[in-house]
Amino acid sequence: MTSYRLDKGGLIDRESALRFTFDGALHIGRAGDTLASALMANGVRLMGRSFKYHRPRGVITAGAAEPNALVELREGGRKEANTRATMIELYDGLVAKSQNNWPSLNFDVGAINSLASSMFVAGFYYKTFMWPKSFWEKIYEPIIRRAAGLGTASKLPDPDKYEKSYAHCDVLVIGSGPTGLMAALAAARQGKRVILADEGARLGGSLLNEQEEIGGQSGFDWSQGIIAELASLPDVTLMPRTTIMGWFDGNIFGAVERVSDHLRVPDPYEPRQRYWKIHARRAVLAAGSEERPVAFGGNDIPGVMQASAMRTYANRYAVAAGRSVVVFGGNDSIYRTARDLRFHGIHVEAIVDSRKDAKADPGGVHVIRGAMVADAVGGKAVKSVHLTNGMHINCEAVAMSGGFSPIVNLACHRGKKPMWDANLLAFLPPDNGEAFTVAGSAAGKMLLSECLADGAAKGAAGGRAIEAPRCRDEAFAISPLWWVKEARAKAFIDYQNDATAMDLPLAAREGYSDVELAKRYTTTGMATDQGKLGNINAIAILAEATGRTMDEVGTTTFRPFYTPVSFGAFAGPFTGHHFQPVRKTPLHDWAEEQGAVFVETGLWMRSSWFPREAEDWLASASREVLTTRGSVGICDVSTLGKIDVQGKDAGQFLDKLYCNTFSTLAVSKARYGLMLREDGIVYDDGTTSRLAEDHYVMTTTTANAAKVMAQMEFAHQALFPDLDVTYVSVTEQWAQMAVAGPKSRATLQKLMDELVMTDETVPYMAALEVTIMHGIPARLFRLSFSGEHAYELAVPADYGSMAARAVMQAGEEFGICPYGVEALSIMRIEKGHVAGGELNGTTTAGDLGMGKMVSTKKDFIGRMMAQRPGLVDPNRQQVVGIRPVDPSHRIRAGAHLLKKDDTPSLANDQGYVTGVAWSPMLNMWVGLALFANGRARHGEVVQVWDGLRGHLVLGEICDPVHFDKENKRLHA
Amino acid sequence: MLIPCPHCGTRPVEEFTFLGDAAPTRPTTNDPSSMEAWYEYVYLRNNPRGTIDEYAHHSGGCRAWLVVQRNTETHEVYGAVTARAFASRKEAVAKGEQA
């Protein structure tokens, strides 16, 4: 293959030799190349296949807007799909593959779509694949998905690290071209903290790509001098390879720094990318402008590219886009293109200027005025062009320029729309106030001298100004040039989504003339490039087709992100074990020793069951229940929220929080409490103990611990600020274990230092401060969730495992066993105690059978709203027990309850099963349910219908207490 | 977005949990005739364009409940006071109106 590398010039290191492969073929590039420039230098023009028609595509830009040259970069877990070859810095060992082709890039079967293109017009999804309906999911969609697509994601884990970081500055300058450099310099010389960010690998922006003269030197040399000065200032941070991708509330900018993407693998301890949140007191957007393509036939054939891109490849990368070039456009920049190309020895066949009266100096190149390129001709590379005047010119490449669109994206991220300027033929950024200004060509300044002056002024922002250097200006005159209607072949507007110029009038004719509708109907601007090249052309064509002005059509919404951001950058370091913290109870080590199987509940790891030998969960949990009910068991309940409440008004405060009363609770006693939301629905429950006149300890459910704490803080600070009370979460500070069963007292007695445990010294609902094991302070509560004679023992967290081991030793003679959450749940369902399934955010105290707890003598959160008719309606679903009529049947949680003779349907729904358990005591499945007017319907036989699993049995509604209805065991 | 916490200084919004409009005041009576006022307190919220006072919990900081004043259109934050201070200010205003 012939080299397209120019003999001299360019910002590349000609001494270097970087080996890389594209579709398996080995090539050599130079340091300073992008993948795109290196491929072009090696004569590779075909870089991808288009999305819909699988047309051959080459590079069309030299920057972030590239829609065509998308490749799969790297391999294995580092593979990244849809990366733009124009933004990939070449490194030794780079591996890239083309995408969206089968069987190969050069011979792609999908290209037949091109022949069937009448099927693929705008809205083709809606028109072609609608019938028969059943075909969509199984036949049409998979075929379309396979045929139309971009790269494929790696399914392997990403081996690299990502970081998140914050930065603060006085002035953020976005873009390091002539405008950005002047803005940064002006701010920096005022002593401001400045961040200068640029998406490019090297700072300098367009001055790296163009032949300019500033201050008597080349634009490149001038830029390097300014960058050196900025680098020497302590308060200036230069951030190359950093894309500012979004502008957010509070003048916060999101940025992605590509720390290691230019390396084969990141250096040790370096991330691949770093995600920044930059808080800027003010920002100057100097993002420049994007050259617009022209919609003519075959404007996607490899070899057709932006004129500015062709200049960049010649000036910066020393690469010729072709040996002979036709330059086509409707503005004066085409003349500088011809000049630069000729400077590099690239033959320019002709300048085709759409304007009859163009005045710019062609510098000796043949100019054809008042004509346009109607069609580029060629298959996988341009061979010639047809002009509208009938002329035919052979060439290898076409440079096109439809005009320049200021890159206003960031300025529109917070909702404002850009405004059309009919003289510049450009949408200009909206006014966002002083904290975010736009400067240079991003603000429609089309001359270099204007850009330098504007950058200096916006950077200084009214403070001490700096003078802009003198420079040479290029001519700028422009006429509209959007769509060459004489085109015979397809003229593309959106390259990446294969939307053509014809699609837009079609969309308008079919009623989708609103710009947002036209976008979705034609898919213009919906691909990963988000219409950076095509959108303005699309608006112009839509405006013409509907007889509206550009402003009347308007732009679609600019949303973050400016360019695609990898998921890794968003996830940062918070993956795997770092995704969320793991909370282990103080008894975790002890539970592990006992062979616990753990279950995640929120962040907590709770011991779920303690299998012996080959037991499965049910066998283990059943044995744990039988041991506990038969003798004694121990369970870790440390995850319950524990809140220490102290102060003169502590009792009054609890009276406000709970629907029942705590100010009357005797010291050394505990009481069950029910907490409502202000709307009258039950919020949480738990026992609260009074340790002293002004000292209570609350417990909350595991799930609600943090929320209840926040609610208490709200209630105290915002609603009842006069109460003299203070409270703190002590969940982490205390290890708590339930010791339950007929032998629980005999077991615990062995740990007590002085206390002699009897029904008199430790009555039911006692709450005592004691010492155990020769002086360890502890709290002993006689509480029972299992329904057994039971206690809860709390010790400071660090003594937890030690105390649990001591309990195990003390209980050894009784055959004690540890029990987990599964056994706990079985026992609570046997006893009809409510938990999360019933406290589900829809139930009232009355629904739970606790209506009598609700005080009528005091104000508390939820009191008034709980009295509303709808919340006291007797037909509400109430907690009941449910058991199968045939004890060999199983009932399942989530099953719905229906009257015995009703047809199974949700219209006949009477309630549902909130929790079930296999009861080893009763040898059958038992459950709890919410059932309409349930308390009045005990004994009724119902259908237990599990439509999801296709399961229907008969069940009997009963009292929620399935086992030991008289609570004899509690006091045994 | 930065919130000026009266205790902790200027802190990022991620440290805060917002609850909503701080304008409604919890009625002080449980008299059945006050049901309408309770209904309004629990359910009815304005959705103003412009300035709003909102409860925010500095859950990732000092754990104080604050009232943050911001602009719903621009999200500009004008300031923050403690919910306690806000409550006494509201009380003072209410007393003033009665008098």
Side-chain angles (χ1 to χ4, degrees), chain A residues 288-623:
Chain A
S289 56
E290 190 74 51
E291 189 164 36
R292 292 191 289 263
V294 183
F296 57 83
N299 65 345
D300 65 327
I301 297 171
V304 178
M305 66 173 72
Q306 287 174 323
S308 55
M310 206 178 282
R311 292 201 301 275
T312 297
Y313 284 113
N315 291 328
R316 176 171 179 179
Y317 300 108
V319 174
R323 287 187 202 81
S324 61
V325 177
V326 167
V327 181
F328 166 47
N331 65 76
D332 287 353
S333 79
I334 54 178
Y335 294 90
R336 79 186 289 189
T337 304
R339 183 196 69 205
D340 284 9
L341 297 179
R342 291 182 76 209
F343 174 85
H344 290 291
I346 300 166
H347 178 62
V348 178
E349 293 284 350
I351 295 172
V352 181
D353 192 328
S354 63
R355 302 167 297 176
K356 283 199 182 70
D357 52 351
K359 292 181 185 69
D361 173 16
V365 181
H366 177 47
V367 184
I368 301 156
R369 294 194 180 87
M372 294 181 281
V373 172
D375 284 282
V377 181
K380 287 163 193 153
V382 173
K383 295 194 179 95
S384 63
V385 291
H386 282 302
L387 304 190
T388 49
N389 63 4
M391 279 179 73
H392 187 89
I393 307 172
N394 289 329
C395 61
E396 279 193 0
V398 180
M400 60 181 169
S401 179
F404 298 89
S405 297
I407 299 174
V408 299
N409 300 51
L410 286 170
C412 302
H413 277 177
R414 287 174 68 187
K416 289 203 175 171
K417 293 272 190 180
M419 301 149 300
W420 182 248
D421 184 307
N423 294 319
L424 297 171
L425 299 178
F427 276 102
L428 299 184
D431 181 7
N432 284 304
E434 286 169 12
F436 185 99
T437 53
V438 186
S441 64
K445 304 287 187 281
M446 296 304 185
L447 301 181
L448 180 59
S449 59
E450 292 177 337
C451 287
L452 292 167
D454 198 34
K458 304 255 169 73
R464 189 158 51 82
I466 59 169
E467 203 176 321
R470 290 171 161 278
C471 66
R472 185 190 72 201
D473 276 328
E474 301 280 353
F476 178 80
I478 186 167
S479 292
L481 175 58
W482 314 107
W483 179 15
V484 185
K485 294 207 189 74
E486 292 85 344
R488 281 200 242 150
K490 281 194 190 67
F492 288 91
I493 292 293
D494 185 300
Y495 291 92
Q496 207 181 111
N497 266 352
D498 273 351
T500 68
M502 304 282 277
D503 287 338
L504 289 148
L506 178 68
R509 281 201 303 279
E510 297 188 347
Y512 300 94
S513 56
D514 180 275
V515 68
E516 297 282 7
L517 296 177
K519 167 179 173 171
R520 284 151 184 85
Y521 198 62
T522 65
T523 71
T524 297
M526 288 179 66
T528 61
D529 65 328
Q530 289 287 292
K532 286 186 177 61
L533 291 187
N535 269 7
I536 309 301
N537 288 347
I539 292 163
I541 292 169
L542 204 54
E544 192 197 287
T546 56
R548 290 176 296 174
T549 64
M550 293 294 278
D551 263 331
E552 281 166 355
V553 176
T555 59
T556 52
T557 308
F558 292 90
R559 293 190 180 87
F561 315 108
Y562 173 61
T563 47
V565 179
S566 64
F567 280 110
F570 285 119
F574 307 111
T575 58
H577 286 307
H578 299 291
F579 181 65
Q580 58 181 21
V582 173
R583 294 181 86 180
K584 291 180 180 174
T585 76
L587 300 185
H588 191 87
D589 291 349
W590 164 80
E592 253 178 355
E593 284 163 23
Q594 296 294 327
V597 173
F598 292 96
V599 60
E600 281 180 50
T601 48
L603 301 178
W604 286 109
M605 299 293 286
R606 295 184 75 177
S607 36
S608 194
W609 69 91
F610 293 83
R612 287 185 183 162
E613 284 136 29
E615 283 178 337
D616 64 6
W617 71 272
L618 185 56
S620 177
S622 299
R623 174 185 47 75

Side-chain angles (χ1 to χ4, degrees), chain A residues 17-33:
Chain A
L18 307 180
R19 287 161 307 161
F20 69 100
T21 65
F22 181 63
D23 282 343
L26 181 69
H27 301 286
I28 306 285
R30 309 285 173 217
D33 263 329

Side-chain angles (χ1 to χ4, degrees), chain A residues 166 168 249-250 252 277 279 414 656 678-679 706 709-711 713-723 858-865 867-869, chain B residues 1-2 12 14 19 26-35 38-43 55 57 62-66 74-76 83-85 87-88 91:
Chain A
Y166 291 83
H168 298 256
D249 292 337
I252 292 173
K277 272 189 190 175
H279 291 246
R414 287 174 68 187
K656 290 286 192 189
E678 197 71 274
D679 67 359
M709 186 69 193
Q711 153 124 330
E713 286 163 330
F714 180 78
H716 182 218
Q717 296 172 30
L719 303 181
F720 316 113
D722 297 334
L723 293 181
K858 55 151 189 162
D859 175 49
F860 59 88
I861 290 175
R863 170 176 169 162
M864 282 298 282
M865 299 311 264
Q867 300 167 19
R868 286 178 293 165
Chain B
M1 207 164 163
L2 299 171
E14 288 85 349
L19 181 68
R26 192 172 188 270
T28 49
T29 168
N30 288 311
D31 190 89
S33 66
S34 65
M35 202 53 157
W38 277 97
Y39 172 78
E40 285 187 20
Y41 167 68
V42 172
Y43 289 111
Y55 283 120
H57 189 208
C62 62
R63 296 197 67 85
W65 277 92
L66 309 178
T74 64
H75 290 194
E76 187 182 350
R84 194 181 288 270
S88 50
E91 202 177 353

Side-chain angles (χ1 to χ4, degrees), chain A residues 662-681:
Chain A
F662 281 92
S663 54
T664 57
L665 180 65
V667 172
S668 300
K669 290 291 269 183
R671 180 174 286 169
Y672 176 78
L674 198 62
M675 197 180 275
L676 307 188
R677 308 189 308 216
E678 197 71 274
D679 67 359
I681 297 291

